[in-house]
Amino acid sequence: MPASPARGFRVGIDIGGTFTDIVLTGPQGGILTRKVPSTPGDYSHGICQGLGALLHTQGIAPSEVEIVVHATTVATNAVLEGKGARTGLITTAGFRDVLEFRRVRVPELYNLGYVKPKPLVPRQFRLEVSERLGADGAVRIPLDDASVHRAANRLRDAGIEAVAICLLHSYLDPTHEYRVRDIVCAVLGDAVFVTCSHDILPEMREYERTSTTVVNAFLGPVMRRYLGALRAGLAGIGVRGTLQVMTSGGGQMGIDAAIERPAYLVESGPAAGVIAAARIAARNALPDIITLDMGGTTAKAALVENAQPARTGEYEIGAGINLSSKLVKGAGYAVKLPFIDISEIGAGGGSELWFDKGGLLKVGPHSAGSEPGPVCYGRGGTRATLTDALLTLGFINPAHLVGGELKLRADAARAALAEQVAGPLGTTPLDAAHGALTVAVANMVRAVKSVSTYQGRDPRGYALLAFGGNGPIVAAAIARALSMKQVIVPPHSGVLSAYGLLVADHEQERVRAMPRALAGLDPAEIVAAFAALQAAATSALTAEGFAAARITIRRFADLRYVGQAFELTVPAEGADLAALTSAFHQSHLRTYAHMAEAEPVELVNLRVIAGVAVEAVPLSAPPPAPDQPAQMRSAYFGPAGLLPTAILRRADLLGRSVAGPAIVEEYDATCVIPPGCTAGLDIAGNIRITVN
């Protein structure tokens, strides 16, 4: 990829628990990739080191990098580890304990001793002010400035770094919240991070709105420091292009907006992979797909239908492994913002193997990560992991991981498995390794079911699109367990999430609460509300430097039957009330298998998404490879035993059908084609495995 005189290179950077993936595309086409170990002590160090090395080896000047798009786990980790800012909450008198009351949801149904998570804001820092709005937005009790000054002074004396402001019914009128913000900033100074609920989530539901506002404040100073350090680190190696950040909903956001709204970033990395998969599905006219993203720490699954990822507005951050945002609730902190609906299981390559009290073999969720990593890394890890099992089975080439940059110790992996797993089971290391793989596959089958079977979809009608460093290794086994007939492994599958950062649209969403019966609404009121939301969302994008002519607008309405507690979101391109009502009935039928056309429908929110489409370099088929002697090695396939297995390159599949067992080795991933399966390459360069 030759350097261009213009600054036209784009970089996607995705931080994982084990590796940081870097993808670079240029103005003249082509894709360059690099995987480097993540540096948990300072993630920006690994990013800058890896990007600097990639630019140097390719002869690209840092000044030629135009855009850097980043996905990060820093926000999620800050909540999981309780390392966010020292946060205070100011709320309406009588509502300081909303965070304690939460919702009546328990993730462990029969555990009477379950202890819910502690609020991110301790009670002594949850302060009340005298004011009150009614459910119609009318002022019932005027705001008492003196009570605000008292609360602000207490927070200042306590050394509070961030303040969340969430007043009752302020989604209808933010005047009181903004007055409280002004007083807090005057008392605590400009260094304090302040979030008003009307700015982050102007919707009804007091707990979700309060929790989302608190999460945003809790993360604000952390993300401001991290993104500031990243920007400085990139500038230190000469990269001064625009820095964008991936959101949990699958769009890109400018760094300044990301610093103000860090709650939008908590699942940015997993979302990027699903966006890439959706683009691949659209470009290749693929059928509906289920994505499988397996890295070093977790495995994630998501549903993509008609080239559109399934989305949700319900998520709980800090809940640990999230089997489903819709099925398991109460274990974390509610964040009611747009998310791609992803199911996550703690079964990655670095997942440790262990036995529970009943003597059953378990895989994960604890991971060895990148430091010290699996035993085979030779960096001090002592617990056998799934990677050690895959290496013992012969699936992974100890001299080929990351193109040979990371040498693996197969002898150390076998010894750890023999002592820690095979010994207690009274079996051989090979059978122990295959048992660990079987358990891991069973775990990942649950993840796939949670986005398909558990939501009324039959996975047998979908193709499984596998990516991540380990996804293509286990994909065929998962597909076979679910009677799925096809597995698709795209080019650059090991760094697909980083590639997804470069194909995600730039987006800004704005919401307005309008809780009232749909039949009694004046269409002109809806038109005016949409116009105001569109202006606000468009302004946010033009402030990031995008031309207004490039911006597209999508409009939606959140609707429900009168008396229901939750709503469904339907497209609302116009203000035709009959069309909106019909669209809601059909959405209700598709979601719940019934509808009630005689029941009145009410509007809850209007929302607008302004977007700027991104033109990205498509993934392409590899060039024909020169002939080379066939390579073979033994790999263990359980009941089939130890079999001679062909070792191939992706290009070796061009124009032919290969019967398993075979293994395709690439720089960023390994693909296993088990016995009984066949594989070939389509015109786009995707490996297509037929599972029999």
Side-chain angles (χ1 to χ4, degrees), residues 438-629:
T438 303
V439 172
V441 166
N443 288 343
M444 287 177 274
V445 164
R446 291 177 59 220
V448 174
K449 283 185 174 181
S450 72
V451 299
S452 57
T453 308
Y454 299 165
Q455 298 187 32
R457 271 76 168 183
D458 186 345
R460 293 174 295 182
Y462 293 73
L464 186 65
L465 192 144
F467 56 97
N470 293 301
I473 295 179
V474 300
I478 293 171
R480 179 170 283 161
L482 291 165
S483 297
M484 301 174 72
K485 295 180 173 56
Q486 188 175 58
V487 172
I488 298 167
V489 181
H492 303 291
S493 60
V495 294
L496 196 71
S497 290
Y499 170 79
L501 297 171
L502 301 180
V503 300
D505 295 343
H506 301 269
E507 290 184 349
Q508 289 285 343
E509 182 182 51
R510 295 295 183 269
V511 181
R512 177 178 172 182
M514 294 184 66
R516 62 197 74 175
L518 192 61
L521 269 173
D522 181 355
E525 189 176 1
I526 295 180
V527 171
F530 271 138
L533 292 171
Q534 178 175 329
T538 301
S539 176
L541 284 176
T542 55
E544 294 182 14
F546 296 105
R550 294 184 59 194
I551 298 174
T552 59
I553 300 296
R554 291 179 291 155
R555 303 172 183 86
F556 301 90
D558 298 342
L559 304 169
R560 65 186 182 188
Y561 290 122
V562 172
Q564 283 187 322
F566 292 92
E567 58 274 0
L568 295 173
T569 300
V570 301
E573 294 307 317
D576 186 335
L577 301 184
L580 275 177
T581 302
S582 176
F584 169 73
H585 288 315
Q586 293 303 315
S587 179
H588 200 280
L589 176 64
R590 185 168 57 253
T591 304
Y592 300 113
H594 71 92
M595 60 181 178
E597 294 180 282
E599 294 295 325
V601 177
E602 66 178 349
L603 174 65
V604 179
N605 305 304
L606 296 177
R607 60 183 71 240
V608 163
I609 299 176
V612 175
V614 170
E615 293 294 331
V617 176
L619 299 172
S620 59
D627 291 335
Q628 67 176 26

Side-chain angles (χ1 to χ4, degrees), residues 46 80 95 142 179 186 235 242-243 353 375 381 385 398 433 535 554 589 620 646 652:
L80 287 171
F95 287 84
R179 175 59 182 161
T242 302
L243 180 58
L353 313 182
V375 174
T385 67
R554 291 179 291 155
L589 176 64
S620 59
D652 293 333

Side-chain angles (χ1 to χ4, degrees), residues 271-357:
V274 181
I275 290 296
R279 297 291 187 272
I280 292 169
R283 190 177 299 121
N284 294 281
L286 292 170
D288 295 338
I289 61 175
I290 296 173
T291 68
L292 173 71
D293 175 7
M294 181 181 174
T297 306
T298 60
K300 297 163 282 284
L303 191 72
V304 177
E305 295 179 311
N306 299 316
Q308 291 297 319
R311 288 180 164 86
T312 180
E314 303 175 45
Y315 197 83
E316 290 190 357
I317 182 175
I321 301 303
N322 178 39
L323 179 62
S324 171
S325 63
K326 298 177 181 177
L327 300 177
V328 180
K329 298 180 181 179
Y333 306 101
V335 178
K336 196 176 186 299
L337 294 173
F339 283 80
I340 289 179
D341 194 13
I342 296 173
S343 172
E344 189 171 0
I345 292 289
S351 295
E352 294 182 353
L353 313 182
W354 58 286
F355 292 91
D356 65 12
K357 293 180 179 179

